[in-house]
Amino acid sequence: MASTSRPNHIEEDDDDMEEEVQHFDDFTLASSWERFISDIEATCRQWLADGPKNLVEKGAVAIEDSKSLFKVKYDLKNVTKSYCMEFYFQIDDNGTGSQQEGIGNWNSSSHDLQLCFGVKDFLLIAPQSASGVLLDTPESSKLLSSVAIALSNCASLWPAFVPVHDPSRNAYIGIQNMGTVFTRRFEADRIGSQVPVKLMHLEGLYELFVSKFVYSGVDFSMHTFKVHFMMRLTYETFTSDEDDENSDMDEFMGDKADTAEHHGSESRNKVHWDDDCPWSEWYSAEDPLRGFELVVTWADRTVENTLEMAELENASPHEAEKWILHPVLSPYLGEPSHGKRIDFSSQLLCLVEALDTSFTAQFMEDFVSVENSSTESLKTSVVIPPPTVLDRVIKDLFHEGSKLPNFTKGEHMLSRALKAAPLESLFTQFCLHSLWFGNCNIRATAFLWVEFVREVRWCWEESQPLPKIPIDGSIDLSTCLIHQKLHLLAICIEKNREMNEEFLDCVGSDDSSDASVSVEENHKVDKRINRSSKADLQRKRDSSVTEDTSNQLKFERNAESKKSVNQIRTDAFRRGSAGPVGTMMLLKSHQPLHAPFTQDPPLMTEDMHEERLQAVEAFGDSLNVPGQLEKDILLSDMSAFKAANPDAVFEDFIRWHSPGDWETTEPEAAEASVGSSTEGSKDKWPPHGRLSKRMSDQGNLWRKSWKDAPALQADDQKPLLDPNREGEKILHYLETVRPHQLLEQMVCTAFRGAADTLNQTNFGDMRQMTSKLEQLYLIIKSTLGVLQHIRMQATMFQTENRPLKT
């Protein structure tokens, strides 16, 4: 059994060895092209095994502007050259690969080979060279044959293509195994120039296509061909000439003021797309819309002769089955690095660079002179426009109309989150002009700022109103400090103008007129008193009533006469009254309590408020500190109250000015009497109450101030705001402001001004634009938050100890 079985085992081993020898590939004897074909075959087998879905998961790259077309690539190397093999494939919505059939939907995102030959999945093999094409015909044929052999070994029906000829021709040759004895070959070429007239028409293209089908030496025109095809025609609107665009961009590379000089010339007569846009005052933006493109498609058409093609060529686009209209956008859209772009973003970047340089000097004048500059880079990049440009900028800021603009125009709901100035204000307009003044370097900015401050000082010295700044109202502390200073300066100029007008009105008048008026009024009062007394005496002589009745009548008439006299005398000396305060009466004279016209509290900028708060912190919580700080305001109110109420006492002032310091007490019933109330009065008299403990203390600052306060109406008092002193302090601040403090406020104001300008654009109810603008403001706020917090302590120190310029 054993011997008989052994030979059988030997025979089985021999069969296995023979089978292994038959499947053994000896690559040492293979040529380089055979190894090349084997490498292609292995790669294709791997792609076939993975399938479209796995290829996408492994990192297949999506083709630009296409959601369903992907590609994978593999580098091949032959003995002499290196090639790159790319596999293009499409996936359906369910993630599976598409069938290898003609394209039913012609869209612009398809590959050129898909549009030319109606394929979906295909291979593309190109040499790794600068041109990416094969100029040698034998090499291209040999490469295409190698790919065809590899695909045949894989039993794949993928078509394969090789780029040939000149790259500008976009020419390909291809091959596809049909799974039978037939093989499909492809050839595509493009004529870029000198196209024959015949090929410019559909019938010529039809004849060229049919001529490629040659079955025998018989003339092909004797055979009948049915050509199934799709046709797409594209209609484009006219776009502006490139030379015109370049000249326009070069024109706007200069200053805005420079371009305004040629506003009346023929070069400026051209209407730009953004002439009515809010930013057109500062620059001309690149038109994002170059035109429109209409694509009309005829699908599933079959023709048998050239006459049908000629008829189809003359068909109206209205007869097409499908229309696609889409905009043609500018190629520079969304590319901020484009060198020729001059807009807010590029100029704001220059302003930020100027801020970075501003820390190297103490005053802005230091940057004006190159010799005194400590920055070497300024000596090589100093660009200051000519004086004519400066004059036009100053004229636009100070002399172009005096109408106060609407500060809320174009303001976004998030604008006030930025500590800056309103869009139409003087400082914002200065900041926007500085973006286009020269190349917005620190020297050009300093040059413009020095001239700006000189013009502001001229307005102050000549009592001319500051343009684009309100002359009344309160100081808006949510704005930047320079805008607050300019607002307060405009108010000081207006107060000086009013004082000068009053002074001129008084020139030439009689100095004794006021005294004579007062004397005449006193004589009139005395005459009224004498006439009243004589009338009483006459009534007493002629009276026929009883003695008691006579006495009672005498008492009443004397009281009425005394009250009338007091009322006449009080009204004669009352000044600056705004009218009675309800039914309130003065405690001593029982006359109506009048509210006076008072001076407005002195206006203060942000640094002035901070200075007062720090003074309170330095003195502690002493009772007299707040009163001492507000002593001027308190004295003014007391003087006005005394002028309006000549018979008033300190308690009357407290009842009107600080009702919380008057404590009301209820009277006892036993003390009620006939004289405790006045006939016809709703209020009990005298009012029962007392001063609070705070106001009753000995040495109280308020009571001492009451004794010292003269009876003067508000118009005759010394103003609480000294316009001359505050105006000079503001100008001193503007002339000696630190460069980095100025540039910090300029950057914040310029960014807000640019955003508010863009916000004025009419874009309808586009939610996306609204969301983008809100996002823009939030980004600016978060980015510039560091610059928005003014270092008040340093600012005050510099304001009080600011060195004088030499």
Side-chain angles (χ1 to χ4, degrees):
M1 296 287 294
S3 61
T4 57
S5 61
R6 183 168 182 174
N8 295 333
H9 287 289
I10 294 174
E11 292 177 0
E12 292 177 2
D13 293 338
D14 292 340
D15 295 338
D16 294 338
M17 291 179 63
E18 290 178 2
E19 184 176 357
E20 291 179 1
V21 171
Q22 292 175 359
H23 291 84
F24 176 73
D25 294 330
D26 187 3
F27 281 98
T28 60
L29 302 178
S31 64
S32 60
W33 278 102
E34 289 175 333
R35 288 193 293 270
F36 182 68
I37 294 172
S38 178
D39 196 7
I40 297 175
E41 181 181 345
T43 304
C44 292
R45 287 183 184 274
Q46 183 64 43
W47 287 345
L48 284 169
D50 289 338
K53 185 176 181 180
N54 292 332
L55 288 177
V56 173
E57 294 177 354
K58 288 183 177 181
V61 180
I63 304 301
E64 188 178 0
D65 298 333
S66 178
K67 298 181 180 179
S68 59
L69 183 61
F70 296 83
K71 75 173 181 179
V72 290
K73 68 177 183 178
Y74 179 75
D75 293 335
L76 300 169
K77 189 172 184 181
N78 196 7
V79 177
T80 58
K81 281 191 175 182
S82 297
Y83 300 91
C84 178
M85 181 171 64
E86 296 177 336
F87 172 48
Y88 290 80
F89 62 95
Q90 283 188 303
I91 58 175
D92 298 332
D93 295 337
N94 57 5
T96 61
S98 60
Q99 299 294 326
Q100 193 63 259
E101 59 185 16
I103 293 182
N105 294 324
W106 194 339
N107 55 73
S108 58
S109 62
S110 300
H111 194 277
D112 289 343
L113 293 174
Q114 292 177 316
L115 297 176
C116 289
F117 303 113
V119 297
K120 287 190 175 181
D121 301 344
F122 60 92
L123 287 175
L124 179 62
I125 299 182
Q128 294 184 347
S129 61
S131 61
V133 298
L134 291 171
L135 301 178
D136 186 22
T137 303
E139 181 184 358
S140 60
S141 300
K142 188 176 180 180
L143 179 60
L144 194 61
S145 299
S146 301
V147 178
I149 294 172
L151 292 175
S152 178
N153 295 338
C154 298
S156 173
L157 301 181
W158 292 341
F161 297 92
V162 175
V164 294
H165 304 309
D166 187 80
S168 62
R169 293 171 60 175
N170 201 16
Y172 297 91
I173 60 173
I175 191 171
Q176 182 181 14
N177 180 20
M178 303 301 295
T180 61
V181 295
F182 296 103
T183 300
R184 179 188 292 179
R185 291 187 176 273
F186 305 95
E187 183 179 357
D189 203 347
R190 174 182 295 176
I191 303 177
S193 61
Q194 297 181 356
V195 180
V197 178
K198 184 177 181 180
L199 298 182
M200 292 182 180
H201 300 277
L202 292 182
E203 56 265 34
L205 295 176
Y206 173 81
E207 292 178 358
L208 176 63
F209 179 76
V210 171
S211 65
K212 297 299 181 179
F213 295 89
V214 180
Y215 291 96
S216 63
V218 182
D219 187 5
F220 70 91
S221 61
M222 302 299 297
H223 297 269
T224 301
F225 295 91
K226 292 184 178 181
V227 179
H228 179 76
F229 72 100
M230 296 172 57
M231 183 177 68
R232 184 180 72 171
L233 298 181
T234 302
Y235 302 89
E236 294 184 0
T237 58
F238 290 102
T239 57
S240 58
D241 188 70
E242 293 295 331
D243 294 336
D244 292 340
E245 291 183 2
N246 293 335
S247 63
D248 291 342
M249 290 305 299
D250 293 338
E251 186 178 353
F252 280 94
M253 281 291 288
D255 293 286
K256 181 182 79 69
D258 256 345
T259 61
E261 182 179 2
H262 307 287
H263 185 76
S265 62
E266 294 180 359
S267 61
R268 300 298 300 152
N269 288 336
K270 181 179 178 180
V271 178
H272 294 270
W273 75 277
D274 59 348
D275 281 348
D276 57 346
C277 292
W279 62 79
S280 62
E281 180 183 357
W282 309 105
Y283 67 92
S284 180
E286 176 77 18
D287 191 349
L289 186 63
R290 304 298 299 274
F292 289 93
E293 186 178 77
L294 173 63
V295 179
V296 292
T297 305
W298 285 265
D300 300 331
R301 288 300 179 104
T302 304
V303 296
E304 297 183 1
N305 52 59
T306 57
L307 295 178
E308 295 183 13
M309 294 295 291
E311 292 178 359
L312 183 60
E313 183 176 6
N314 297 325
S316 172
H318 296 280
E319 300 175 4
E321 287 84 357
K322 187 175 183 180
W323 276 36
I324 299 177
L325 180 66
H326 60 86
V328 180
L329 302 180
S330 170
Y332 302 122
L333 187 64
E335 295 184 8
S337 60
H338 179 46
K340 292 186 177 181
R341 294 193 64 174
I342 300 295
D343 49 20
F344 280 134
S345 59
S346 61
Q347 299 310 109
L348 287 171
L349 179 60
C350 296
L351 187 61
V352 173
E353 293 174 353
L355 170 61
D356 185 58
T357 313
S358 64
F359 291 89
T360 60
Q362 187 176 11
F363 299 106
M364 291 300 291
E365 288 88 341
D366 298 338
F367 292 109
V368 175
S369 177
V370 181
E371 290 75 12
N372 298 333
S373 176
S374 60
T375 307
E376 293 295 332
S377 61
L378 291 180
K379 299 180 180 181
T380 58
S381 62
V382 285
V383 178
I384 293 182
T388 55
V389 177
L390 176 64
D391 292 342
R392 282 194 293 267
V393 173
I394 296 299
K395 180 180 179 181
D396 184 73
L397 287 173
F398 288 92
H399 307 294
E400 292 293 337
S402 59
K403 184 179 180 180
L404 187 65
N406 182 11
F407 289 154
T408 60
K409 180 182 178 181
E411 187 178 70
H412 194 270
M413 61 180 178
L414 300 176
S415 288
R416 293 187 175 270
L418 305 173
K419 197 170 186 62
L423 175 61
E424 299 294 333
S425 65
L426 180 61
F427 185 60
T428 300
Q429 295 297 303
F430 164 81
C431 294
L432 293 179
H433 270 290
S434 67
L435 295 178
W436 315 100
F437 191 75
N439 58 358
C440 194
N441 57 41
I442 185 62
R443 187 171 179 232
T445 303
F447 189 74
L448 182 60
W449 172 254
V450 171
E451 294 299 323
F452 175 81
V453 175
R454 287 177 183 173
E455 194 70 22
V456 171
R457 175 169 282 281
W458 181 87
C459 293
W460 163 253
E461 293 176 350
E462 299 295 331
S463 296
Q464 296 297 318
L466 285 178
K468 305 178 179 67
I469 292 292
I471 59 176
D472 54 9
S474 59
I475 305 299
D476 188 357
L477 301 182
S478 66
T479 60
C480 63
L481 185 58
I482 291 181
H483 177 73
Q484 298 177 35
K485 296 285 187 183
L486 292 175
H487 187 185
L488 182 56
L489 181 63
I491 295 176
C492 293
I493 292 176
E494 181 63 21
K495 289 186 177 298
N496 276 342
R497 292 186 63 185
E498 294 175 355
M499 294 171 59
N500 293 337
E501 291 176 358
E502 292 177 359
F503 175 77
L504 294 176
D505 291 341
C506 295
V507 173
S509 62
D510 188 3
D511 295 337
S512 62
S513 59
D514 292 340
S516 61
V517 170
S518 300
V519 172
E520 290 178 0
E521 290 181 352
N522 291 335
H523 284 311
K524 290 179 181 179
V525 172
D526 293 339
K527 289 179 181 180
R528 286 195 294 267
I529 294 174
N530 292 334
R531 283 198 301 268
S532 177
S533 301
K534 291 180 180 179
D536 289 340
L537 292 175
Q538 184 66 29
R539 280 192 294 270
K540 284 190 288 184
R541 292 192 192 100
D542 299 338
S543 176
S544 59
V545 295
T546 61
E547 183 178 356
D548 292 340
T549 303
S550 177
N551 291 336
Q552 180 66 23
L553 181 61
K554 180 180 179 181
F555 172 79
E556 292 178 354
R557 289 183 175 179
N558 285 338
E560 182 179 356
S561 176
K562 183 178 181 180
K563 180 178 179 181
S564 176
V565 170
N566 291 337
Q567 180 68 32
I568 293 173
R569 187 178 296 274
T570 299
D571 291 339
F573 291 98
R574 193 187 303 277
R575 295 288 185 273
S577 171
V581 183
T583 59
M584 293 183 65
M585 298 290 183
L586 298 176
L587 294 176
K588 299 300 183 182
S589 63
H590 196 213
Q591 298 296 322
L593 188 150
H594 284 242
F597 288 108
T598 59
Q599 294 192 63
D600 295 329
L603 300 174
M604 293 185 292
T605 57
E606 188 174 10
D607 55 340
M608 298 168 65
H609 280 286
E610 188 68 19
E611 183 180 356
R612 288 207 166 195
L613 290 177
Q614 290 187 359
V616 172
E617 294 177 358
F619 284 103
D621 296 332
S622 174
L623 175 64
N624 292 333
V625 170
Q628 185 66 33
L629 292 175
E630 304 297 334
K631 183 178 180 180
D632 293 340
I633 303 177
L634 184 62
L635 282 173
S636 174
D637 292 345
M638 288 180 174
S639 296
F641 187 83
K642 282 185 175 182
N645 302 277
D647 299 329
V649 294
F650 177 66
E651 287 79 2
D652 293 321
F653 176 76
I654 295 300
R655 291 168 58 211
W656 169 73
H657 191 277
S658 181
D661 288 312
W662 177 260
E663 299 176 354
T664 304
T665 59
E666 294 294 335
E668 296 181 2
E671 296 179 357
S673 62
V674 177
S676 64
S677 61
T678 58
E679 184 178 357
S681 176
K682 296 182 180 178
D683 297 337
K684 294 183 178 180
W685 189 260
H688 295 272
R690 61 175 180 268
L691 295 175
S692 65
K693 182 179 179 181
R694 185 171 76 99
M695 292 297 174
S696 301
D697 291 343
Q698 294 296 329
N700 180 265
L701 181 63
W702 286 50
R703 187 178 291 276
K704 183 177 181 302
S705 299
W706 173 262
K707 295 179 180 179
D708 297 338
L712 291 174
Q713 60 180 342
D715 293 340
D716 298 334
Q717 297 176 13
K718 179 182 178 180
L720 293 176
L721 176 67
D722 187 347
N724 291 317
R725 182 185 63 183
E726 295 300 331
E728 289 295 337
K729 288 173 62 177
I730 292 171
L731 287 170
H732 184 61
Y733 168 82
L734 296 177
E735 292 171 345
T736 59
V737 62
R738 294 293 185 265
H740 70 90
Q741 292 180 347
L742 170 64
L743 268 296
E744 287 172 359
Q745 299 181 62
M746 287 182 61
V747 168
C748 294
T749 302
F751 268 90
R752 173 177 166 176
D756 286 345
T757 300
L758 297 178
N759 184 55
Q760 293 181 2
T761 309
N762 295 324
F763 52 82
D765 296 330
M766 294 178 63
R767 294 184 179 180
Q768 186 177 6
M769 283 296 299
T770 303
S771 176
K772 289 292 184 181
L773 280 173
E774 292 181 359
Q775 185 180 3
L776 174 62
Y777 280 99
L778 294 176
I779 291 176
I780 294 177
K781 176 187 175 182
S782 61
T783 305
L784 302 181
V786 179
L787 303 181
Q788 295 185 26
H789 299 288
I790 301 177
R791 299 171 179 85
M792 303 308 302
Q793 184 174 0
T795 303
M796 287 189 303
F797 177 79
Q798 294 168 4
T799 302
E800 297 173 359
N801 305 280
R802 201 176 291 272
L804 295 177
K805 298 179 296 180
T806 58

